C-alpha cells in the first residue's frame, strides 16, 4: 500500500481528498494543513506521492517544491490549483512537479495521476536497480530466459524487507541468489550471516540462532550472541531450512512474527532488524503436509518465493558457465588456459545435470581439465557417463511449469549456440548456415539473447 500526503491550508478540502483517495485507491493518506507541516511530514515519513495545493499562506506550494528540490527528494508531487491559472501550473512543473490538475476535476483524475506517478517512480527505482545489477559483479551467471526471469524477481523482492524463501535443486545456485538479494537490498554493507540448519546438531541449533546467556545449559560457560544478533541490520541466511528441528521451527516462527529474540537463559527480548532469507532444496509443501515441517512456518516463509531453475531448464547458459568455470579452474590449477574444441558444448548441452546442477558442471569441467594433456579439450575428454547419457529430449514435456514464450526463447537460444559452436563462433558463416539475411541480423538476435562468444571457446 502506498502512502499519500495531501497538503492544503483548507483542511476540509484536504480531508475530503483523503477520504476519496482512501476509498478509490486503497491508499494510506496523511493530511497536512500548511506547507511547513507538509515538509515536516516529508522529512519524517516515507511518502510515495504528494498532492499539493499551490495557494497557501506562509510556505506555499512553490515553497514546498523548492524545498524538496533543495533536499534532492525524489518524491513525486502533483499540484492542484483552484484559480485555473495555467501559467502557475506551468511554473510548478518547471519547479519539479510531475503533473497538475484543476480542483474542478473529478477525484478519479487525481487518483489516476497518483497511480501514474507511483508507477513511474517504481520503474525508475527498478531501472536504477537493474543498472546496479549489471554494473556490479554479480556471481550469478546466465542470461537464459529462465535466469532473466529469476533476476527480475530478485530485483523486485530485494528492496522489500520481508522474509524470502529460495527454492531450488541442489547445486542450482541458491546461495548466490541469497547473496544477490542481500547485495541489492536496503543494507548491502551490513553483515551477511549464513547458517546451515542441516549441519548443526539438534541441541546446538537454538543457541546458534538465538544465542545464550552464561550458564543457560551445561557447557554454556560464556555468553554468546546468536546468528540473528550477528546479522544486525544485514541479512540472516538460513540454508537448508527444511532440516531445522521442529522445536526450533516453533521458535523461529515466533521470532519472525514478533521481530524479537530471547537468548536461551534470558527473559529479555532483543529486537531483530535483520532480513531473513531461507533456502531449501526440499518440497516444503509436501513436508508440511506430512508433518515434517510446521505448516504455519511454511505459510509464513511462502509469501515471497524465488525459484531457482534447474540447469536443464536453462541449458543455453552452459557455454557461459563453462567458459567461466574453465577460467577459474585453470587459474586454481595454475595450468595454461585450455580451450574447448568443437562438439564439446553440444555434448554438455545434451545432458540434464539432474544430480547437482551447476556444481555437477563445475566438477565435470575440473575432470576435463585434468583429463586433457594439451591445450584443447575435445569430446573425448567429456566424462563417459555424460557422453553416453544420450538424453532423450522430450521437448514437449521439458521445462514443466515454464511458459510457452520462455520455452520458445530458450529453444531459439540453444539453436543459435549449436550453430555458432559448429562454425567456431564465426558470425558470417553461421548466419549463412541459418539462412539469415546477413551477419548483422544474426548479431541482432545474439544481442537480444545476451550471447557472446564464451571466453575460452
Ligand atoms: N548461475 C550461476 N552462475 C555461476 N555460478 C553458479 C551459478 N549457479 C551455481 N553456481 C556455482 O555452483 C555451485 C553451487 O552453487 P550454490 O552453492 O549456490 O548452490 P545451492 O543451490 O546453494 O546448492 P545446495 O542445495 O547444494 O546448497 C557454486 O560453486 C556456485 O558458485
Ligand atoms: Mg547451498
Amino acid at each position: 500500500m502506498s502512502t499519500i500526503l495531501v497538503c492544503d491550508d483548507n483542511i476540509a478540502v484536504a480531508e475530503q481528498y483523503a477520504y476519496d483517495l482512501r476509498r478509490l485507491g486503497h491508499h494510506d493518506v496523511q493530511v497536512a494543513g500548511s506547507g511547513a507541516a507538509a515538509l515536516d511530514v516529508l522529512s519524517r515519513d516515507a511518502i510515495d506521492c504528494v498532492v499539493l495545493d499551490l495557494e497557501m499562506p506562509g510556505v506555499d506550494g512553490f515553497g514546498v517544491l523548492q524545498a524538496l528540490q533543495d533536499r534532492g527528494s525524489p518524491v513525486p508531487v502533483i499540484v492542484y490549483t483552484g484559480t485555473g491559472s495555467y501559467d502557475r501550473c506551468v511554473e510548478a512543473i518547471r519547479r519539479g512537479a510531475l503533473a497538475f490538475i484543476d480542483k474542478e476535476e473529478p477525484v478519479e483524475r487525481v487518483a489516476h495521476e497518483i497511480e501514474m506517478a507511483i508507477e513511474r517512480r517504481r520503474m525508475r527505482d527498478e531501472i536504477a536497480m537493474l543498472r546496479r545489477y549489471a554494473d556490479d559483479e554479480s556471481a550469478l551467471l546466465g542470461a537464459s530466459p529462465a535466469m532473466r526471469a529469476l533476476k527480475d524477481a530478485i530485483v523486485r523482492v530485494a528492496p522489500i524487507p520481508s522474509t524470502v524463501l529460495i527454492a531450488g535443486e541442489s547445486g542450482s545456485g541458491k546461495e548466490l541468489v541469497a547473496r544477490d538479494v542481500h547485495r541489492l537490498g536496503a543494507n548491502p554493507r551490513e553483515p551477511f550471516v549464513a547458517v546451515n540448519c542441516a549441519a548443526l546438531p539438534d541441541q546446538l541449533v537454538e543457541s546458534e540462532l538465538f544465542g545464550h546467556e552464561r550458564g543457560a545449559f551445561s557447557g554454556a560457560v560464556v555468553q554468546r550472541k546468536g546468528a540473528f544478533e550477528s546479522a544486525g541490520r544485514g541479512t540472516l541466511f538460513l540454508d537448508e531450512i527444511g532440516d531445522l528441528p521442529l522445536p526450533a521451527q516453533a521458535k523461529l516462527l515466533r521470532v519472525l512474527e514478533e521481530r524479537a529474540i530471547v537468548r536461551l537463559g534470558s527473559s529479555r527480548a532483543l529486537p531483530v532488524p535483520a532480513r531473513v532469507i531461507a533456502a531449501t532444496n526440499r518440497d516444503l509443501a509436501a513436508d508440511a503436509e506430512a508433518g515434517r515441517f510446521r505448516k504455519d512456518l511454511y505459510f509464513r516463509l511462502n509469501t515471497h518465493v524465488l525459484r531457482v531453475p534447474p540447469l536443464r531448464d536453462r541449458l543455453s547458459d552452459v557455454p557461459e558457465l563453462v567458459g567461466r568455470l574453465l577460467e577459474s579452474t585453470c587459474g586454481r590449477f595454475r595450468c595454461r588456459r585450455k580451450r574447448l574444441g568443437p562438439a564439446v558444448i553440444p555434448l554438455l548441452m545434451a545432458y540434464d545435470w539432474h544430480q547437482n546442477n551447476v556444481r555437477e558442471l563445475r566438477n565435470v569441467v575440473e575432470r576435463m581439465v585434468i583429463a586433457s594433456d594439451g591445450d584443447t579439450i575435445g569430446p573425448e575428454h567429456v566424462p563417459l557417463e555424460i557422453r553416453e547419457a544420450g538424453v532423450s529430449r522430450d521437448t514437449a514435456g521439458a521445462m514443466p511449469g515454464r511458459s510457452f514464450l520462455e520455452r520458445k526463447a530458450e529453444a531459439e537460444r540453444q539453436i543459435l549456440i549449436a550453430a555458432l559452436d559448429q562454425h567456431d563462433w564465426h558470425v558470417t558463416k553461421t548466419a549463412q548456415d541459418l539462412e539469415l539475411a546477413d551477419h548483422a541480423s544474426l548479431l541482432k538476435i545474439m544481442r537480444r539473447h545476451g550471447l557472446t562468444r564464451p571466453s575460452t571457446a
Side-chain angles (χ1 to χ4, degrees), residues 123 265 407:
M123 274 166 55
R407 282 157 57 179

Side-chain angles (χ1 to χ4, degrees), residues 142-356:
S144 60
M147 268 327 257
R148 285 185 189 201
L150 174 64
K151 288 178 180 179
D152 277 353
I154 293 174
V155 163
R156 241 176 266 282
V157 86
I160 307 171
S162 328
T163 304
V164 177
L165 178 66
I166 302 173
E169 292 180 9
S170 163
S172 59
K174 295 185 292 296
E175 177 146 2
L176 296 184
V177 170
R179 286 186 186 279
D180 271 0
V181 173
H182 171 71
R183 198 171 57 82
L184 298 170
N187 300 312
R189 272 176 267 283
E190 302 291 326
F192 177 92
V193 174
V195 174
N196 186 344
C197 302
L200 292 168
D202 285 11
Q203 331 69 280
L204 279 187
V205 81
E206 291 182 19
S207 132
E208 187 71 26
L209 290 177
F210 312 120
H212 63 246
E213 298 294 340
R214 201 153 70 100
F217 48 87
S218 61
V221 283
V222 288
Q223 183 202 56
R224 190 172 188 288
K225 269 194 198 178
F228 271 101
E229 277 179 80
S230 307
R233 292 163 40 74
T235 300
L236 176 61
F237 177 50
L238 298 175
D239 206 357
E240 316 279 0
I241 187 91
D243 291 307
L244 198 64
L246 284 163
Q249 288 181 23
K251 288 204 175 160
L252 174 62
L253 177 65
R254 218 168 48 234
V255 171
L256 294 178
E257 267 170 5
E258 291 167 12
R259 304 299 301 161
I261 53 152
V262 179
R263 288 188 192 148
L264 301 187
S266 161
S267 54
R268 196 160 56 97
L270 303 167
V272 168
R275 107 96 62 95
V276 175
I277 303 179
T280 185
N281 54 23
R282 300 181 27 170
D283 182 352
L284 276 194
D287 282 1
E289 217 32 69
R292 286 187 297 269
F293 197 82
R294 285 186 70 106
K295 266 196 183 139
D296 44 11
L297 179 58
Y298 170 66
F299 286 122
R300 180 73 223 229
L301 293 173
N302 200 33
T303 327
H304 301 286
V305 185
L306 293 172
R307 294 190 192 284
V308 187
L311 188 51
R312 65 181 166 282
D313 283 0
R314 49 182 168 112
L315 289 167
S316 69
D317 281 335
V318 164
E320 185 186 348
L321 285 166
V322 171
R324 279 298 180 88
L325 289 168
L326 258 183
E327 224 170 279
S328 62
T329 309
C330 294
R332 247 176 333 112
F333 291 179
R334 295 175 196 283
C335 62
R336 282 250 295 279
R337 274 288 182 78
K338 301 205 179 193
R339 43 169 277 129
L340 287 184
V344 176
I345 288 289
L347 280 176
L348 301 179
M349 279 173 65
Y351 185 66
D352 74 358
W353 308 102
H354 60 283
Q355 281 175 11
N356 254 311

